[in-house]
């Protein structure tokens, strides 16, 4: 008895490329594909199910259609049985559903009889001989009779035969069944993705030519391993046999046989389609390691001191002038290990940020029951002596009195700042609190006192400290949390950005922008998740300077229909917008993103509702990803009119549907859970602000009301009106003997400049007629 199982062993990089290619495969040629499934008892029901899984996996790469690929199936055991002919099911889903319903029959393995059935009947339901015929035999190769002659006759009829092993195949017989060369036509169904790729790769050159751009069939070394169970002579042992003499036995030596599993390795070559992955271009700099994430995304693992951006840019620099004081928790709650971790983080931050010409002064304080300032602000003039002092910090291990420490630092931490003739003494004062233990006293009063002293507070700690750190800073945007010790060091660039945002808040700063949030308030989202979305809109609004001249924000909520919670010109301050967001209700019916985007186009991004010509316009759609089927057309209409559509989808939405809506993966953020939404806020704000800097077409969207035509001029536009008049066709032309100024032209010119934006909404509002 010899049992074998084949596996293909290749390096991890090649496995990733094979997997990526599998997602892109599609054979659209005219092709008749017949599966011949072994349903004998030697296969068993479990392996038969795996055979069906492989057949279904292969169908994903076939463009099944009456004029292109047709698929049929025969199950064989003692006798062959036609499950369905090639002309029965003519769509991919129908074929896959029918394969799933195929029932295991059982019996002996008569592979030769099945091949004779095909020789006699042909491909049931197939087309004429001009269409290539592909026979895919999935079997363990243990036929009861000879297969050599019928296999040769099948191949002589120009039928391409793939032999696919399952369970513990007899590879010698499968070699006989497969077309030449066997290394291209012999596969293992246990690894369905690899086998589907191998089969497609063999067909790609002569038959299926529609490979994705950049993908190609490559030959690469691989190893075929066969696990065999063989008989082995273990030795001779004493045994007793009968004797010719009555009532006697005879001692003798008998051979002892045992079974042994032997792993046999056969170096070989495999032919697989591989596609370029995003790491092929080596995007990571300075020794960073690229880790691919699917077909079009990757992330870089950066060396120490690097990571200024996602590509491991050179060391960062604090290109901002601040007085910076680190306040490190040295209490028993943080433990010695935690204290040393904070010291290591501080050293790495200073190594990456502080150079000889750094414009800031740095100090370090630590606290438990008491507060000490071992490194006073401006004490060290060079990075080397600063590092030496950080190394000398010792763990103390008392109680975590964070409130008392903040109060002390607010009173005494910045008094020693030296005043030089060439250095301003009124620099922003920043305190970075590093803690991992809950405070044993109240922090509320101390936090208020510190802010009254114009201190800017940033909190850094692990996830469970999020609530207390937010209480200290008063703003979740000034809180940095990490998930594990290594993740703490990944937060260095984020800390640098927050330190340098003092007095210059993150966001689009002085860049003009008309921004609309469209929020899914349907029953598919649910009330609790809707509150997550509402909080996200609220915290995002904190990043923008809201007034008539800079950023205007509108909010739309939608279920089956859309409602404007407030328009672009409704609120002119951050506080008014935040208060209005809190009042937005949950709707709870079915969701239609298409109706929401149409509403934004026709009722929100219009000059009547405060949209400003010459200002970039962005719509951020927050959705659970359902109800998107009708959204692609209105999204394209918005883009055609110069309005960016940005989709933030939470949950298990279909990526293909979402991409049709946004038009480009650059404008899609797909998040697994509502709880994780907050972690993507900086990325989303950054993308919005990048868009706010792009050139603007003054006539998109059309600033002319009442079907007026916008005509561009150099640095200006004019509205050509019909039956209306005014700069934006906002006033109806009066008929009859009613008084009308004869000097007004049918159209007016509007000179555009950033300064003129502040007057636009007010002038338009006064010019409206009832």
């Amino acid at each position: 008895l010899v049992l074998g199982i084949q596996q293909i062993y290749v390096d991890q990089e090649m496995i990733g490329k094979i997997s990526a290619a599998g997602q892109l495969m599609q054979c659209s040629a005219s092709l008749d594909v017949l599966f011949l499934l072994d349903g004998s008892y030697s296969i068993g029901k479990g392996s038969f199910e795996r055979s069906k899984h492989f057949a279904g996996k292969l169908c994903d790469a076939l463009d099944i259609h009456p004029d292109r690929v047709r698929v049929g199936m025969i199950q064989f055991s003692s006798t062959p049985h036609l499950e369905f002919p090639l002309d029965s099911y003519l769509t991919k889903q129908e074929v896959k559903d029918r394969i799933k319903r195929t029932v295991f029959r059982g019996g002996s393995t008569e592979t030769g009889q099945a091949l004779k059935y095909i020789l006699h009947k042909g491909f049931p339901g197939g087309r004429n001989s001009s269409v290539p015929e592909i026979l895919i035999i999935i079997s363990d190769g243990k036929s009861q009779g000879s297969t050599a002659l019928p296999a040769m006759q099948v191949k002589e009829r120009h039928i391409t035969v793939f032999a696919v092993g399952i369970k513990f195949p007899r590879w010698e017989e499968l070699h006989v069944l497969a077309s030449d060369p066997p290394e291209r036509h012999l596969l293992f169904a246990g690894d369905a993705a690899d086998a589907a790729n191998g089969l497609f790769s063999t067909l790609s050159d002569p038959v299926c030519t529609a490979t994705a751009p950049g993908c190609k069939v490559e030959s690469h070394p691989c190893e075929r391993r066969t696990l065999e169970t063989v008989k082995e002579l273990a030795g001779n042992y004493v045994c007793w046999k009968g004797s010719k003499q009555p009532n006697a036995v005879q001692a003798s030596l008998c051979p002892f046989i045992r079974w042994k599993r032997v792993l046999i390795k056969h170096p070989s070559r495999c032919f697989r389609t591989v596609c370029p992955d995003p790491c092929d271009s080596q995007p990571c700099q300075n020794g960073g390691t690229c880790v691919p994430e699917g077909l079009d995304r990757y992330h870089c693992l950066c060396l120490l001191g690097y990571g200024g951006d996602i590509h491991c840019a050179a060391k960062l620099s604090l290109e901002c002038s601040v007085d910076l004081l680190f306040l490190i928790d040295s209490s028993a709650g943080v433990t010695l290990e935690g204290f040393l971790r904070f010291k290591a983080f501080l050293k790495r931050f200073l190594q990456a940020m502080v150079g000889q010409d750094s414009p800031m002064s740095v100090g370090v304080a630590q606290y438990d029951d008491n507060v000490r300032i071992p490194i006073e602000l401006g004490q060290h003039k060079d990075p080397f002596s600063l590092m030496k002092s950080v190394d000398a910090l010792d763990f103390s291990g008392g109680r975590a009195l964070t409130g008392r420490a903040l109060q002390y630092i607010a009173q005494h931490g910045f008094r020693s700042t030296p005043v030089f003739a060439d250095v301003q003494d009124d620099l922003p004062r920043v305190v970075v609190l590093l803690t991992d233990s809950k405070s044993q006293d109240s922090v509320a009063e101390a936090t208020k006192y510190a802010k009254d002293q114009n201190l800017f507070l940033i909190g850094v700690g692990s996830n469970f400290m999020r609530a207390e750190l937010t209480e200290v800073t008063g703003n979740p945007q000034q809180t940095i949390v990490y998930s594990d010790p290594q993740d703490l060091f990944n937060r260095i660039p984020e800390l640098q950005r927050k330190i340098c945002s003092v007095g210059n808040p993150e966001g689009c700063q002085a860049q003009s922008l008309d921004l609309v949030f469209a929020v899914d308030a349907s029953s598919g989202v649910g009330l609790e998740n809707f509150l997550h979305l509402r909080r996200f809109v609220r915290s995002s609004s904190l990043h923008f300077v809201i007034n008539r001249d800079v950023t205007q924000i509108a909010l739309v909520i939608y279920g089956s229909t859309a409602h404007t919670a407030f328009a672009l010109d409704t609120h002119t301050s951050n506080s008014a917008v935040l208060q209005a967001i809190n009042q937005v209700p949950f709707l709870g019916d079915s969701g239609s993103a298409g109706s929401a985007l149409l509403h934004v186009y026709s009722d929100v991004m219009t000059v009547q509702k405060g949209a400003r010509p010459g200002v970039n316009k962005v719509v951020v759609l927050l959705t659970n990803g359902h109800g998107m089927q009708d959204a692609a057309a209105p999204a394209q209409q918005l883009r055609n009119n110069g309005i960016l559509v940005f989709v933030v989808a939470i949950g298990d939405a279909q990526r293909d549907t979402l991409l049709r809506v946004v038009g480009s993966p650059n404008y899609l953020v797909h998040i697994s859970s509502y709880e994780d939404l907050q972690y993507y806020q900086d990325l989303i704000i950054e993308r919005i602000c990048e868009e706010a800097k792009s050139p603007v077409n003054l006539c998109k969207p059309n600033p002319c009301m009442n079907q007026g035509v916008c005509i561009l001029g150099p640095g200006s536009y004019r509205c050509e009106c019909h039956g209306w008049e005014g700069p934006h066709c906002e006033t109806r032309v009066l008929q009859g003997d009613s008084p009308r100024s004869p000097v007004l032209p049918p159209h007016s010119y509007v000179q555009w400049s950033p300064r003129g934006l502040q007057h636009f909404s007010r002038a338009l509002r006064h010019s409206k007629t009832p």
Side-chain angles (χ1 to χ4, degrees):
L1 177 68
V2 178
L3 302 176
I5 180 169
Q6 184 199 55
Q7 293 177 317
I8 306 297
Y9 283 84
V10 298
D11 61 79
Q12 287 297 318
E13 181 183 359
M14 183 59 68
I15 289 172
K17 291 192 174 189
I18 287 172
S19 176
Q23 299 174 48
L24 297 174
M25 288 181 176
Q26 193 64 212
C27 180
S28 295
S30 291
L31 201 63
D32 284 349
V33 176
L34 182 64
F35 287 106
L36 190 60
L37 257 66
D38 187 342
S40 64
Y41 288 130
S42 66
I43 284 285
K45 190 171 182 184
S47 293
F48 184 74
E49 291 300 316
R50 279 192 287 277
S51 300
K52 286 163 53 180
H53 172 71
F54 166 69
K57 185 83 174 176
L58 185 58
C59 287
D60 288 332
L62 300 175
D63 185 10
I64 297 173
H65 184 275
D67 300 328
R68 293 186 286 277
V69 182
R70 294 187 184 183
V71 175
M73 179 178 285
I74 295 172
Q75 181 182 173
F76 72 94
S77 49
S78 303
T79 57
H81 173 80
L82 177 62
E83 295 290 348
F84 59 93
L86 285 101
D87 55 0
S88 288
Y89 303 102
L90 302 177
T91 70
K92 184 178 299 188
Q93 197 55 50
E94 287 177 348
V95 172
K96 291 179 69 174
D97 289 344
R98 178 59 182 83
I99 290 172
K100 285 181 181 177
R101 296 198 305 271
T102 303
V103 178
F104 176 66
R105 293 180 174 273
S108 58
T109 313
E110 298 289 349
T111 312
Q113 291 287 351
L115 294 174
K116 289 174 183 175
Y117 176 90
I118 292 170
L119 288 167
H120 178 62
K121 301 273 190 180
F123 272 36
R127 288 163 283 187
N128 58 46
S129 58
S130 65
V131 176
E133 295 179 322
I134 310 296
L135 179 64
I136 302 172
I137 305 172
I138 309 176
S139 171
D140 62 358
K142 298 170 190 169
S143 180
Q144 313 306 155
S146 173
T147 59
L149 181 59
M152 183 181 69
Q153 291 172 329
V154 165
K155 286 178 275 190
E156 283 175 350
R157 291 198 181 181
H158 304 291
I159 297 172
T160 303
V161 182
F162 287 89
V164 184
I166 191 72
K167 199 178 180 181
F168 302 110
R170 183 174 291 138
W171 293 104
E172 296 86 349
E173 184 172 313
L174 293 179
H175 269 86
V176 172
L177 295 175
S179 292
D180 291 327
E183 63 268 18
R184 283 182 175 263
H185 294 86
L186 198 65
L187 304 164
F188 179 56
D191 187 347
D194 176 77
N197 186 311
L199 188 143
F200 182 91
S201 301
T202 300
L203 294 178
S204 64
D205 185 26
V207 182
C208 305
T209 55
T211 53
C215 300
K216 57 185 177 182
V217 178
E218 287 186 0
S219 164
H220 58 85
C222 58
E223 188 177 82
R224 300 182 186 273
R225 297 185 178 187
T226 304
L227 186 65
E228 297 182 347
T229 305
V230 298
K231 288 194 297 186
E232 181 183 62
L233 178 65
N236 294 310
Y237 293 84
V238 175
C239 60
W240 285 264
K241 299 180 178 179
S243 171
K244 293 181 180 179
Q245 299 176 0
N247 301 321
V249 293
Q250 180 180 346
S252 179
L253 289 176
C254 298
F256 179 73
I257 304 297
R258 65 182 176 192
W259 296 100
K260 182 181 179 181
R261 285 181 173 267
V262 181
L263 182 67
I264 301 176
K265 302 177 182 180
H266 302 282
S268 183
R269 296 201 70 79
C270 292
F271 294 83
R272 299 293 183 265
T273 297
V274 294
C275 297
D277 67 37
C279 288
D280 283 350
S281 61
Q282 299 181 332
C284 303
Q285 306 164 8
N286 302 308
T289 302
C290 183
V291 180
E293 298 174 1
L295 297 172
D296 56 359
R297 298 181 62 189
Y298 63 89
H299 67 271
C300 295
L301 300 176
C302 304
L303 299 177
L304 295 184
Y306 296 92
D309 64 5
I310 60 170
H311 298 120
C312 305
K315 290 185 179 182
L316 296 169
S317 172
L318 270 175
E319 297 174 353
C320 55
S321 298
V322 294
D323 287 338
L324 179 61
L325 184 67
F326 287 90
L327 179 58
I328 303 179
D329 185 349
S330 182
S331 67
V334 81
T335 72
L336 173 61
E337 180 186 359
F339 178 75
L340 294 176
R341 185 183 308 133
F342 282 144
K343 269 181 62 174
F345 171 77
L346 178 57
K347 284 183 63 178
R348 196 176 298 180
F349 178 86
L350 295 174
Q351 285 169 344
M353 302 293 170
V354 181
Q356 294 288 351
D357 302 322
S358 179
M360 69 174 179
S361 57
V362 178
V364 181
Q366 62 182 103
Y367 74 95
D368 47 12
D369 296 271
N370 300 303
V371 187
R372 295 169 299 289
I373 309 180
I375 304 174
E376 294 189 344
L377 278 167
Q379 177 181 336
H380 295 284
K381 307 299 185 293
D382 65 277
F384 179 76
S385 61
L386 179 60
M387 295 299 163
K388 203 169 178 182
S389 295
V390 171
D391 278 332
L393 298 176
D394 288 325
F395 179 65
S396 49
R399 293 179 298 161
L401 301 182
T402 308
R404 181 177 174 182
L406 287 169
Q407 183 93 16
Y408 182 90
I409 290 301
Q411 291 173 331
H412 307 288
F414 293 87
R415 288 192 175 174
S416 61
T417 309
V419 181
F420 301 106
D422 58 344
V423 177
Q424 293 181 340
D425 61 347
D426 58 349
L427 294 177
R429 299 187 294 177
V430 181
V431 177
V432 177
L433 172 65
L434 298 167
T435 178
D436 255 346
S437 57
K438 299 282 189 182
S439 178
Q440 293 173 257
D441 64 347
S442 172
V443 298
E445 286 298 320
T447 297
K448 184 176 183 304
Y449 179 77
K451 290 179 179 175
D452 288 343
Q453 302 302 307
N454 291 321
L455 297 189
F456 186 79
L457 301 176
I458 299 173
V460 180
S462 54
N463 269 322
F464 85 97
M465 290 295 297
R466 184 187 297 276
E468 183 169 305
L469 289 173
T470 302
E471 184 182 358
V472 168
T473 62
N475 183 349
Q477 303 312 309
Q478 299 310 132
T479 300
I480 297 174
V481 296
Y482 59 92
S483 55
D484 56 63
Q486 181 54 45
D487 188 41
L488 170 62
F489 298 98
N490 296 336
R491 302 293 170 178
I492 287 176
E494 185 180 354
L495 177 58
Q496 182 260 352
R497 288 198 306 271
K498 293 193 186 302
I499 290 171
C500 284
S501 71
V502 180
N504 186 19
E506 293 181 42
C508 298
Q509 288 118 25
Q511 190 70 36
S512 298
L513 180 68
D514 283 345
L515 175 61
V516 178
F517 288 100
V519 179
D520 190 342
S522 67
S523 56
V525 170
L527 175 58
E528 183 179 349
N529 292 330
F530 172 74
L531 295 178
H532 276 292
L533 296 179
R534 201 170 72 176
R535 279 194 294 273
F536 174 80
V537 174
R538 192 178 190 282
S539 59
S540 297
S541 300
L542 292 169
H543 286 262
F544 299 94
V545 179
I546 298 173
N547 60 47
R548 291 269 185 264
D549 303 330
V550 187
T551 300
Q552 293 188 145
I553 291 182
L555 177 59
V556 170
I557 55 170
Y558 72 91
S560 55
T561 58
H563 308 272
T564 303
F566 52 86
L568 287 165
D569 60 356
T570 304
H571 299 297
T572 58
S573 69
N574 286 70
S575 57
V577 166
L578 297 180
Q579 190 173 355
I581 292 170
N582 288 338
Q583 309 303 317
V584 175
F586 175 63
L587 299 178
D589 53 358
S590 59
S592 169
S595 66
L597 294 178
L598 277 174
H599 179 81
V600 169
Y601 175 74
S602 59
D603 294 312
V604 181
M605 286 291 194
T606 65
V607 291
Q608 295 95 322
K609 297 298 171 68
R612 298 164 294 175
V615 173
N616 275 295
K617 292 171 173 56
V618 178
V619 180
V620 178
L621 180 70
L622 295 159
T623 174
N624 67 348
H626 300 290
M628 301 290 289
Q629 295 80 5
D630 59 348
Q636 186 60 50
Q637 190 174 15
L638 285 163
R639 283 195 295 274
N640 291 344
N641 282 274
I643 302 168
L644 168 69
V645 179
F646 200 102
V647 174
V648 180
I650 302 99
D652 57 350
Q654 291 292 324
R655 184 173 173 84
D656 290 345
T657 305
L658 297 173
L659 283 173
R660 280 196 294 274
V661 175
V662 295
S664 164
N666 293 333
Y667 302 129
L668 172 64
V669 174
H670 200 165
I671 304 170
S672 58
S673 72
Y674 288 86
E675 290 75 16
D676 291 343
L677 185 58
Q678 56 188 321
Y679 306 124
Y680 287 81
Q681 182 168 277
D682 287 346
L683 169 69
I684 293 166
I685 298 294
E686 184 180 330
R687 297 240 181 114
I688 292 172
C689 294
E690 284 175 7
E691 188 63 25
K693 296 170 186 171
S694 59
V696 182
N697 184 330
L698 296 177
C699 284
K700 286 190 175 184
N702 185 4
C704 308
M705 295 184 274
N706 303 309
Q707 284 77 53
V709 178
C710 180
I711 299 175
L712 276 175
S716 66
Y717 66 91
R718 64 182 174 85
C719 289
E720 196 168 84
C721 310
H722 304 281
W724 298 77
E725 60 188 6
H728 299 94
C729 308
E730 68 276 5
T731 306
R732 185 184 293 276
V733 175
L734 300 177
Q735 303 297 323
D737 299 327
S738 301
R740 172 176 176 234
S741 169
V743 296
L744 277 176
H747 52 247
S748 302
Y749 289 85
V750 180
Q751 185 70 30
W752 178 87
S753 70
R755 185 182 296 275
L757 287 174
Q758 58 189 309
H759 307 296
F760 174 78
S761 292
R762 277 166 277 180
L764 183 59
R765 184 171 297 180
H766 291 309
S767 68
K768 292 178 187 175
T769 57

